[in-house]
Amino acid sequence: MKIIVRWFLLAAALLLVANLYSGVTVASFGAAMIAALVLGLLNTLVRPLLVLPTFPVTLLTLGLFLFVINALMFWAAAEVLKGFNVAGFGAALIGSVIYSLCGMVIDVAMERLFSSAT
């Protein structure tokens, strides 16, 4: 149940990103649901493969290069999906930062909600 609620909230966060920033567009809530799923899969499967070889660059930039990797995941999801579009790399960077902030808020809210329920 927790995973499904988080998935719905992350899809809503994608719609929020699209409303806050014009460089990101989402056609519908269904498209946002699919995009949230694809983003989750990319972040789980592909992101670690990019983080490991770029670790020296990440250290030199004091972790700021992770923003570039997040933007690449955001942009890659937009490239493979219909109904989820990103205007370019700059838009992917800004969109991924807003989406990540929303994700952090969702994670804190979920922890408080589900930890008090048990």
Side-chain angles (χ1 to χ4, degrees):
M1 182 68 175
K2 185 178 178 182
I3 293 172
I4 294 172
V5 171
R6 187 173 187 274
W7 181 29
F8 275 98
L9 291 174
L10 287 173
L14 269 178
L15 290 173
L16 178 67
V17 170
N19 284 326
L20 291 177
Y21 183 61
S22 62
V24 177
T25 57
V26 180
S28 65
F29 187 72
M33 292 282 294
I34 295 169
L37 178 67
V38 169
L39 276 169
L41 289 172
L42 285 173
N43 283 328
T44 301
L45 302 172
V46 178
R47 187 173 188 266
L49 297 174
L50 292 176
V51 169
L52 192 61
T54 62
F55 188 69
V57 176
T58 303
L59 281 177
L60 285 174
T61 61
L62 303 175
L64 293 176
F65 193 73
L66 291 175
F67 286 112
V68 173
I69 293 174
N70 286 342
L72 288 172
M73 296 298 100
F74 204 76
W75 201 12
E79 289 296 315
V80 298
L81 296 173
K82 283 187 174 181
F84 176 48
N85 297 313
V86 176
F89 182 77
L93 184 63
I94 294 169
S96 69
V97 168
I98 297 169
Y99 184 67
S100 295
L101 290 173
C102 291
M104 288 188 324
V105 170
I106 289 168
D107 287 342
V108 169
M110 294 284 291
E111 278 301 313
R112 290 188 180 187
L113 179 69
F114 283 98
S115 69
S116 65
T118 56

